[in-house]
Amino acid sequence: MSYSFSGTIRYSEMDEHRSLSLYSLINYFQDCSNFHAEACKVGLDWTEANHRAWMLASWQILVDAYPTMGDPVEVSTWATGFRGFIGYRNYEMRDEKGRSIARANSEWVFMDTERNCPVKVPQIQADAYGIEADRKLRDNFGSRKIHVPENGKQREPFRIQEYHLDTNHHVNNGQYIRFAEAYLPAGMKVRRLRAEYKKQVLLGDLLYPTVAETDSGIVVVLAREGEDPCFIGELSERTE
């Protein structure tokens, strides 16, 4: 079954151009899936009691239009399938006329938080959410895997602070997008986002950014010194 909620764009959710920020859009999507979990009785209390958590593995997001302050919106989410320890989920934001203005495809990993390893999605989770495979979005979201160019330029490292963390005690998914946006050209409005979440990042970690410009957009890689990437993001002004 799907889950939807309605909202009104707030001043605190806007960017400097008076439209919903990309970070706030992601928060709408994440909040929607959290509300879905709570409504299905498999939310924070259930995952904490069972030492389990859903960890985001990837986003692919397309934005046709950003709403502005005071605009009413409806946000929806639904599960499109489960396989092993992976859950597949779609999202959509519609405006007051019912027009789709933003959509997302995502993959989530079901984790054992005590052993810090993936585990098979239990039937109670799959049954709670249901599967709406026929409703799977057909947009061309692009590949889940992001090619990392070799011509990236290293930027100044930065350290993770407490306000970057969520209830899982690691950096929240949306914060990575905020980190990546810091390296965009002035005035760039993101219409397509692809993001891969590779490793958990914790309080006090020092991240080293590498930024490359490609024909598709800006690719931002975040990694601890001498390690493989923790996060790879591609942000583009084009939806194709």
Side-chain angles (χ1 to χ4, degrees), residues 58-73:
S58 69
W59 281 118
Q60 300 92 43
I61 298 176
L62 297 175
V63 184
D64 296 331
Y66 285 93
T68 58
M69 190 177 75
D71 287 348
V73 294

Side-chain angles (χ1 to χ4, degrees), residues 3-128:
Y3 181 90
S4 301
F5 78 95
S6 299
T8 302
I9 304 304
R10 301 166 176 81
Y11 180 84
S12 59
E13 298 168 339
M14 294 194 306
D15 61 17
E16 61 180 325
H17 305 292
R18 298 189 180 184
S19 61
L20 183 71
S21 69
L22 178 61
Y23 172 70
S24 295
L25 172 64
I26 288 170
N27 282 339
Y28 268 99
F29 286 159
Q30 290 194 123
D31 287 344
C32 194
S33 49
N34 282 322
F35 292 156
H36 193 187
E38 296 297 327
C40 293
K41 310 301 182 185
V42 288
L44 292 177
D45 288 344
W46 188 95
T47 53
E48 183 175 340
N50 290 275
H51 308 289
R52 297 292 187 265
W54 284 102
M55 303 294 186
L56 183 62
S58 69
W59 281 118
Q60 300 92 43
I61 298 176
L62 297 175
V63 184
D64 296 331
Y66 285 93
T68 58
M69 190 177 75
D71 287 348
V73 294
E74 182 180 67
V75 184
S76 302
T77 187
W78 56 96
T80 60
F82 300 95
R83 186 180 66 189
F85 54 78
I86 301 292
Y88 303 90
R89 179 175 287 275
N90 283 172
Y91 299 82
E92 185 174 42
M93 177 179 280
R94 291 182 175 268
D95 66 13
E96 62 182 326
K97 295 182 178 180
R99 295 174 297 198
S100 179
I101 57 176
R103 294 163 304 286
N105 184 52
S106 64
E107 295 182 13
W108 298 76
V109 177
F110 196 67
M111 296 286 293
D112 180 324
T113 55
E114 286 190 315
R115 296 186 295 158
N116 195 32
C117 66
V119 292
K120 184 178 180 180
V121 178
Q123 198 62 43
I124 187 175
Q125 284 271 335
D127 289 344

Side-chain angles (χ1 to χ4, degrees), residues 189-207:
K189 196 68 174 177
V190 176
R191 299 291 182 178
R192 177 192 288 270
L193 166 71
R194 293 192 297 149
E196 287 187 71
Y197 298 83
K198 313 284 280 186
K199 297 180 181 180
Q200 296 180 32
V201 177
L202 307 175
L203 179 65
D205 283 355
L206 190 63
L207 292 184

Side-chain angles (χ1 to χ4, degrees), residues 84-229:
F85 54 78
I86 301 292
Y88 303 90
R89 179 175 287 275
N90 283 172
Y91 299 82
E92 185 174 42
M93 177 179 280
R94 291 182 175 268
D95 66 13
E96 62 182 326
K97 295 182 178 180
R99 295 174 297 198
S100 179
I101 57 176
R103 294 163 304 286
N105 184 52
S106 64
E107 295 182 13
W108 298 76
V109 177
F110 196 67
M111 296 286 293
D112 180 324
T113 55
E114 286 190 315
R115 296 186 295 158
N116 195 32
C117 66
V119 292
K120 184 178 180 180
V121 178
Q123 198 62 43
I124 187 175
Q125 284 271 335
D127 289 344
Y129 291 122
I131 298 175
E132 297 195 45
D134 293 342
R135 196 180 171 186
K136 184 177 180 180
L137 295 172
R138 304 302 177 186
D139 298 81
N140 180 15
F141 287 104
S143 171
R144 176 186 179 279
K145 295 293 184 181
I146 302 170
H147 172 68
V148 178
E150 296 181 356
N151 64 339
K153 296 181 179 179
Q154 292 188 348
R155 302 296 184 90
E156 286 295 317
F158 60 91
R159 195 169 298 280
I160 298 303
Q161 308 295 325
E162 287 187 3
Y163 62 86
H164 296 137
L165 308 182
D166 61 19
T167 57
N168 294 312
H169 310 295
H170 63 185
V171 175
N172 181 264
N173 307 318
Q175 293 289 350
Y176 291 92
I177 308 306
R178 281 189 130 175
F179 298 155
E181 285 188 292
Y183 305 104
L184 298 181
M188 178 176 170
K189 196 68 174 177
V190 176
R191 299 291 182 178
R192 177 192 288 270
L193 166 71
R194 293 192 297 149
E196 287 187 71
Y197 298 83
K198 313 284 280 186
K199 297 180 181 180
Q200 296 180 32
V201 177
L202 307 175
L203 179 65
D205 283 355
L206 190 63
L207 292 184
Y208 289 76
T210 303
V211 182
E213 186 172 351
T214 71
D215 292 339
S216 300
I218 305 297
V219 174
V220 179
V221 178
L222 302 176
R224 288 180 282 259
E225 187 174 18
E227 295 187 13
D228 291 335

